[in-house]
Amino acid sequence: MAAIDRPEASLAPELFYNENESQKYTSSSRIITIQSEIANRCIELLNLPEGKPAFILDVGCGSGLRGPALGGGGHGGGGGGGRPDMLAT
């Protein structure tokens, strides 16, 4: 599988994650599915004790698409990231 060139890897992220691009990212069904799968895998890898809610911090949360999956099972959480446009969506 060939690597995909990501423009944000070579230029400042604010050039790519502005309000318009953040909205497109957050509303993409493909991205929503991928983020949910990532979050579910993270929960699996954490191997949290069943029936004991935990606080999960999502560092670099983007627009928060992983939040619903990370909050499953009665867990609470929060997130933070560096792009105001992503956090605002």
Side-chain angles (χ1 to χ4, degrees), residues 51-67:
K52 187 173 181 187
F55 181 88
I56 301 170
L57 178 61
D58 185 0
V59 178
C61 69
S63 58
L65 291 175
R66 292 180 298 272

Side-chain angles (χ1 to χ4, degrees), residues 7-59:
E8 65 270 28
S10 60
L11 297 171
E14 57 268 13
L15 297 175
F16 304 98
Y17 294 108
N18 56 34
E19 184 178 355
N20 184 48
E21 292 302 314
S22 296
Q23 288 293 333
K24 287 195 301 188
Y25 181 91
T26 303
S27 62
S28 165
S29 61
R30 179 176 165 268
I31 295 296
I32 292 168
T33 298
I34 290 168
Q35 291 295 339
S36 179
E37 289 172 358
I38 289 170
N40 288 328
R41 180 65 175 138
C42 288
I43 292 290
E44 181 183 330
L45 291 171
L46 285 171
N47 196 27
L48 299 169
E50 226 175 285
K52 187 173 181 187
F55 181 88
I56 301 170
L57 178 61
D58 185 0
V59 178

